[in-house]
Structure formats: structure tokens, C-alpha cells
Amino acid sequence: MNDAASPPALKKVLRPLHLWAIAVGLVISGEYFGWNYGWAVSGTVGFLVATLLITVLYVTFIFSFTELTTAIPQAGGPFAYAHRALGPVGGFVAGYATLVEFLFAPPAIAFALGSYVHFLYPSVPVLATALGSYVLFIGINLLGIKESALFSLVVTLLAVAELLLFMGLVAPHFKASNFLADPIPFGAAGVFAALPFAIWFYLAIEGVAMVAEEVQDPRRTIPIGYTYGLLTLVFLALGVMVLTGGVTNWHRLSTIDYPLPEALSYALGKGSPWTKVFASIGLFGLVASFHGTIIGYSRQVFALARAGYLPGFLARVNLRFQTPHWALVAGGVVGCVSLLTGTTDKLIILSVLGAVLMYLISLLSLFVLRQKEPNLVRPFVTPFYPWFPLIATVLSVVSLGAIVYYNWLLSLVFFVGLGLLLGLYVLLGLAKNSEVANKPVL
């Protein structure tokens, strides 16, 4: 078939540096806000324990997940792996979980963007900035993946530099007595309640899998991007969390969407130019993650529509820019509606709930494919198999249990939604099969 007759495809232009930028950019807003809600339920030391547990989860999970990503480099990511290993129903569950993760993370980040702008300019409403961010960054993503990746690289480098600057500015003001004051107010129960907020430190790094079809030499490039991205995030997460907790009474920072500029204002004074400068350039970290999660949700919607799980028009690719334009717009509509709820912490928990379920389905797919397709080409093999995926599975189960126990109403909404959509999918599939079976032979 000649090229003129072929449907437009996604462009293969991404290199290791682009993937590092996307991996770090997807996550780096988690270092700016969201994690501090974990202090409110566990205290500083309790949250440090939760963060260390989740760091082990992500190290073992990402090294396991990379085997799947390089062996099956498709835009569907977890959906593609689960569909191949567990069949259509497994693919549906993985796709639902991933969609929830990537559709509800952007509005939470957009809220924080609005809060940072409001911190700088109190006359600017939070919601107006958040909604405007969707319009602006969907427009940027429509221009093409190479242009989007270059934008991600620039803002991610600025965001990393800013966090290093933040750590340098607050380190001289760190007091162990502040960090250790009321360290574990709720005991072990608080540690488990804090797990969703510790996950926010690393949430969405697996989104690199969504651009696998747009990577040059994915079998070599993806492991490099994941490994260096994860190392960067571990260092930043632990550094920011510990140093921020020692600047002032941590209770003052545990329920706001702009903890870092607020911490600087306590360390250096509200009149310090560094406080205003930091709040201004702090937008780069939020922009990097917001932009990255838009890439993630659009590719997931595109892949699910291409496979028949969502309406087919969502799989259309723009002829000029080769981007999934309808998938970008549809996810933006969902995000803007979510913004109207005004509940950042609830959106974070929903996003985390989807992520953890997806981790479990992906890990199960890894084990199944090892047995089902032993000869599958695996350019990257999970180190210390089966121990790494087993550790990741156990910690994912613990995290899922903690999220459900402490957020049972949100969890009920999540699983009822899954059950209803899965039932509808099965019924439509059975009806379609019946229609084909009963069609007269001409």
C-alpha cells in the first residue's frame, strides 16, 4: 500500500533526553504540592516512612514495567500489555485505571497552577487560571509531539534547577526540632493513610509508555529515559520533603496548594525577593507536569479508541500535525468539568487509585507473559526477577488497601464506575457477537 493510502501515524522523533524530560516533567509537580497533604494525616516522620516505602515500590515497579514497555512499545501502554496477557477484559480494566489516573491528575495540577498565580497576584481567580491552562496547553500539544517534547525539555530543566535552588535556599534554615516536632501523631495508621500522598511524589512516571510509538529505537531509549528519570525524582522528592519540614511548624504547610513558596516566606521573610521569584518560576514545575499528563491522557484515549474501547473518532490523527486532536480535546473537557468540583485532594486520591490498580494489572501481565510468551523479544529484562515484581506487587496491594480503607466513598465511586462500564462493554460485545452469528449468509 502506498503512503498516500495509509492512515496518518504518530511520528517517531523522541530520544533519551526527551524521554528523561517527559518522565521527570510528568511527575515533578508532585514535588511542588500535593505530597504535603500527607503530613496532615501522618506527621513528618510518619510521612517519611510512607515515602521510603513508596520509593521502594516505584524502583521495583519501574524496572519491571520497563520490560513490558520495551517488549511491547505501543501507545496504549498498560492497556496493550494487559490485553495481550489477559485478554479484552483485562485490557479494559487496565485502560480504565490508566484513564482515571491521567484524566484526574491534570485538573489537580491545574488547581495548583491557579493557586501559585493567585499567591503572586491575589486579584487573579484560581479557577480562571486553571481553565485557561487547559486551553493553552492543549493548543501546544496539538502542534506535534516533537514540539511538545522540546517544550517539556525546557520547562523540566528549569523546574529541576528551581528545586535545587529551593533546597539551597532553605537548607541553612533547616531545624531538626521543627521536623521532629509531633513526628507521628497518628501512629502506624497515619503511615498507611499517607501512602496515596507519597505516591503523588512519583505518580505518572509510567506515562513514558504512552509515547512509546513515537520513540526512536524504543528498546534502547526507553530504559535510559526511565532509569535517569527515576533517579532524578528520588533525589528531588526526599530532598524537598525533608528540608521543607524543617523550616517552620509543618502544620502550617500541610493543607495548602503552594507549600514551597510559603516555606520560603517563613525562611526568608515574605518581603524577600527570593520568595516572589520562586513563586514565579515555580510555575515551570507545574507546567511541566500539566503538559506531560496531557500528552499521557491523549495517547491513552487514542489507543483505547483505536482498539474499539472508546468511540472511533477519538483515534483520528490530525493530518497536518500528526497528533490525536480529538483525544486531546475530549480529555480536556473531562478535566475542565473536574475543576469545577474544587477538591484537589480528592482528585489526587482518585488519580492515585487508578494508578495503583494499573500497577497491579501491569505486574500480573508481566508474570503471565513470562509464562505465556517465553520467546517474546525482551530487550530489557527485569533485574532480580521474580523478586522485583513480587515486591512491587505486595507494596501495590498494601497501597490499594490503604487507599480504599481511608477513602471508602471515593473508592466506591471508582469501582462502581469500573463495574458499570465493564458490564456495558461485555453486553455490547455479546450483542455484537450475536448479531454477527445470526447474520444470514448470502
Side-chain angles (χ1 to χ4, degrees):
M1 184 181 293
N2 68 39
D3 292 340
S6 301
L10 302 172
K11 290 192 290 186
K12 294 183 178 292
V13 295
L14 302 180
R15 297 180 179 179
L17 187 60
H18 295 126
L19 285 194
W20 172 86
I22 291 172
V24 175
L26 276 163
V27 182
I28 202 166
S29 66
E31 274 70 11
Y32 284 83
F33 85 104
W35 59 267
N36 52 306
Y37 289 109
W39 280 348
V41 298
S42 66
T44 47
V45 174
F47 188 59
L48 176 59
V49 173
T51 301
L52 292 174
L53 283 172
I54 294 304
T55 299
V56 173
L57 163 60
Y58 271 88
V59 169
T60 53
F61 171 73
I62 287 300
F63 278 112
S64 304
F65 192 70
T66 302
E67 177 176 317
L68 293 169
T69 308
T70 53
I72 310 170
Q74 295 182 21
F79 147 72
Y81 320 146
H83 190 280
R84 185 157 176 168
L86 307 171
V89 171
F92 182 93
V93 173
Y96 173 85
T98 309
L99 265 186
V100 169
E101 176 188 0
F102 278 90
L103 287 176
F104 290 110
I109 299 167
F111 267 124
L113 268 168
S115 297
Y116 267 64
V117 172
H118 184 70
F119 177 86
L120 286 168
Y121 308 102
S123 62
V124 179
V126 173
L127 188 59
T129 302
L131 291 170
S133 298
Y134 263 99
V135 175
L136 175 61
F137 291 103
I138 286 175
I140 291 173
N141 273 276
L142 285 170
L143 295 177
I145 187 62
K146 187 175 182 179
E147 292 74 12
S148 297
L150 180 60
F151 181 83
S152 286
L153 177 59
V154 172
V155 293
T156 299
L157 287 171
L158 290 169
V160 170
E162 182 193 19
L163 289 178
L164 294 175
L165 173 63
F166 170 81
M167 289 190 278
L169 289 171
V170 300
H173 304 274
F174 175 85
K175 293 181 181 178
S177 58
N178 285 333
F179 188 80
L180 297 175
D182 197 17
I184 314 180
F186 306 107
V191 174
F192 287 103
L195 290 177
F197 302 106
I199 290 172
W200 189 248
F201 269 134
Y202 304 107
L203 183 82
I205 187 174
E206 67 279 1
V208 170
M210 311 301 175
V211 296
E213 287 185 32
E214 296 159 279
V215 174
Q216 293 180 359
D217 191 11
R219 290 172 170 80
R220 183 188 70 86
T221 302
I222 290 173
I224 296 173
Y226 265 139
T227 301
Y228 285 104
L230 185 59
L231 289 173
T232 302
L233 292 165
V234 169
F235 173 76
L236 293 174
L238 294 176
V240 167
M241 185 258 291
V242 172
L243 290 173
T244 303
V247 169
T248 184
N249 182 338
W250 57 264
H251 291 90
R252 298 169 178 169
L253 307 173
S254 63
T255 57
I256 59 176
D257 281 340
Y258 47 94
L260 302 195
E262 190 72 5
L264 266 182
S265 73
Y266 284 112
L268 306 178
K270 286 190 180 291
S272 168
W274 280 117
T275 303
K276 290 290 186 183
V277 167
F278 184 85
S280 299
I281 61 177
L283 296 172
F284 287 122
L286 300 173
V287 164
S289 289
F290 186 65
H291 177 70
T293 50
I294 286 176
I295 294 175
Y297 82 61
S298 63
R299 271 55 181 181
Q300 186 67 12
V301 170
F302 164 80
L304 288 170
R306 184 174 61 182
Y309 287 92
L310 291 175
F313 77 92
L314 294 172
R316 292 178 188 168
V317 175
N318 184 274
L319 292 173
R320 179 178 177 186
F321 299 114
Q322 292 179 266
T323 50
H325 53 295
W326 286 116
L328 281 163
V329 172
V333 171
V334 173
C336 289
V337 172
S338 301
L339 280 171
L340 301 178
T341 66
T343 51
T344 306
D345 56 337
K346 301 296 188 295
L347 291 172
I348 288 173
I349 289 168
L350 268 177
S351 183
V352 169
L353 187 56
V356 174
L357 179 60
M358 182 271 286
Y359 298 163
L360 283 169
I361 297 292
S362 297
L363 290 163
L364 178 60
S365 299
L366 174 65
F367 287 119
V368 169
L369 286 172
R370 279 290 186 111
Q371 299 300 315
K372 185 178 176 182
E373 298 189 45
N375 297 321
L376 176 66
V377 176
R378 293 174 170 86
F380 180 90
V381 177
T382 303
F384 306 110
Y385 183 90
W387 299 110
F388 263 30
L390 280 174
I391 292 169
T393 300
V394 169
L395 290 174
S396 295
V397 169
V398 170
S399 299
L400 183 62
I403 296 167
V404 172
Y405 182 81
Y406 289 102
N407 305 277
W408 64 269
L409 187 56
L410 272 177
S411 300
L412 182 64
V413 171
F414 175 88
F415 285 108
V416 166
L418 172 59
L420 289 174
L421 290 173
L422 182 58
L424 182 63
Y425 167 71
V426 171
L427 287 174
L428 288 175
L430 290 174
K432 185 176 180 181
N433 291 338
S434 176
E435 180 182 329
V436 172
N438 293 317
K439 186 176 181 180
V441 178
L442 300 178

